[in-house]
Amino acid sequence: MDDHSKTDSFSGDSALLRSDDERNFRLLYDRYWKDLYQKAMSRLDNSSDAEEVVQDIFVSLWNNRYTVVVEESLRAYLFTAVKYAVIKKVQREQARGRIFPLNIEAIEQITLSNEEMLYYKQLEALIDSEVQLLPERMQEVYRLSRNEHLRNNEIAKQLNISEQTVKNILSESLKRLRDRLSDYKFAIFLV
């Protein structure tokens, strides 16, 4: 199937996605799994990590099938989800001391289609506007954690607060953001 016909199948994908029939969801899984796995594998260079990333995306998609908002195409949505799931995976593993052959900056250079880039920019703007609604200290801790990629102990030292306080603030800010962004399930991948 060429890319054009994959895009044209969106209305059918939407009906399959909203169905309670696991067989219909399996059709979506079969349609997209291989391409998503190959994309994740090209970035992670580890089969089990790539499988885990893609599996997590499909589990989330199934669990949120009634509320997930797909603007244009399920294919674009899924590939954008893979991109950011890979970035999150690399960040988590690097924090644990595991080194991937590709750095985060290189992953961020993954080429997106215009549609994917537009969707990403909209989600980024949405998340940023929600972060701005948080109390000042929560904003500060969130940005140091998510934008500056500082560890909790580094944030605590920089702000002259305890590490437990950082954990508590970060936990509460993530909870608030997830609640506010609950209608945009993919945005939760980016928080």
Side-chain angles (χ1 to χ4, degrees), residues 26-39:
R26 181 66 189 199
L27 290 171
L28 291 175
Y29 182 89
D30 291 342
R31 181 176 295 155
Y32 294 110
W33 187 89
K34 183 179 178 184
D35 290 341
L36 296 172
Y37 168 78
Q38 288 174 341
K39 184 71 150 187

Side-chain angles (χ1 to χ4, degrees), residues 145-182:
S145 173
R146 296 305 193 254
N147 299 348
E148 303 296 322
H149 309 292
L150 296 180
R151 294 188 177 118
N152 289 352
N153 63 339
E154 296 168 323
I155 296 169
K157 186 176 180 179
Q158 184 172 330
L159 299 178
N160 199 26
I161 57 177
S162 75
E163 192 172 340
Q164 187 60 49
T165 301
V166 171
K167 288 178 186 177
N168 293 344
I169 291 171
L170 190 55
S171 176
E172 180 61 25
S173 64
L174 291 173
K175 180 187 178 304
R176 288 183 186 191
L177 289 171
R178 287 184 181 118
D179 288 346
R180 289 180 183 163
L181 297 169
S182 64

Side-chain angles (χ1 to χ4, degrees), residues 2-122:
D2 63 31
D3 286 344
H4 181 71
S5 59
K6 286 180 182 176
T7 302
D8 289 344
S9 69
F10 175 63
S11 61
D13 287 352
S14 184
L16 293 173
L17 178 62
R18 304 283 188 242
S19 171
D20 281 329
D21 189 339
E22 288 183 30
R23 292 175 296 184
N24 288 338
F25 190 79
R26 181 66 189 199
L27 290 171
L28 291 175
Y29 182 89
D30 291 342
R31 181 176 295 155
Y32 294 110
W33 187 89
K34 183 179 178 184
D35 290 341
L36 296 172
Y37 168 78
Q38 288 174 341
K39 184 71 150 187
M41 183 65 183
S42 73
R43 300 302 174 199
L44 295 171
D45 200 32
N46 179 299
S47 181
S48 64
D49 288 336
E51 287 177 11
E52 179 184 338
V53 162
V54 175
Q55 191 67 25
D56 288 349
I57 288 168
F58 276 106
V59 167
S60 178
L61 187 64
W62 172 256
N63 289 338
N64 299 299
R65 66 189 174 276
Y66 301 117
T67 56
V68 71
V69 177
V70 179
E71 297 294 326
E72 297 292 325
S73 127
L74 183 61
R75 179 177 177 76
Y77 176 91
L78 291 170
F79 273 92
T80 303
V82 166
K83 175 182 176 178
Y84 291 101
V86 165
I87 290 169
K88 287 247 185 222
K89 175 83 172 162
V90 170
Q91 288 174 332
R92 277 193 308 270
E93 295 300 324
Q94 284 182 338
R96 293 182 188 139
R98 182 172 172 205
I99 304 301
F100 278 85
L102 191 63
N103 64 28
I104 292 171
E105 290 77 22
I107 291 172
E108 289 175 341
Q109 298 304 313
I110 295 171
T111 304
L112 295 176
S113 70
N114 289 340
E115 179 181 315
E116 291 169 326
M117 184 57 75
L118 177 63
Y119 188 65
Y120 164 71
K121 293 292 184 191
Q122 289 171 341

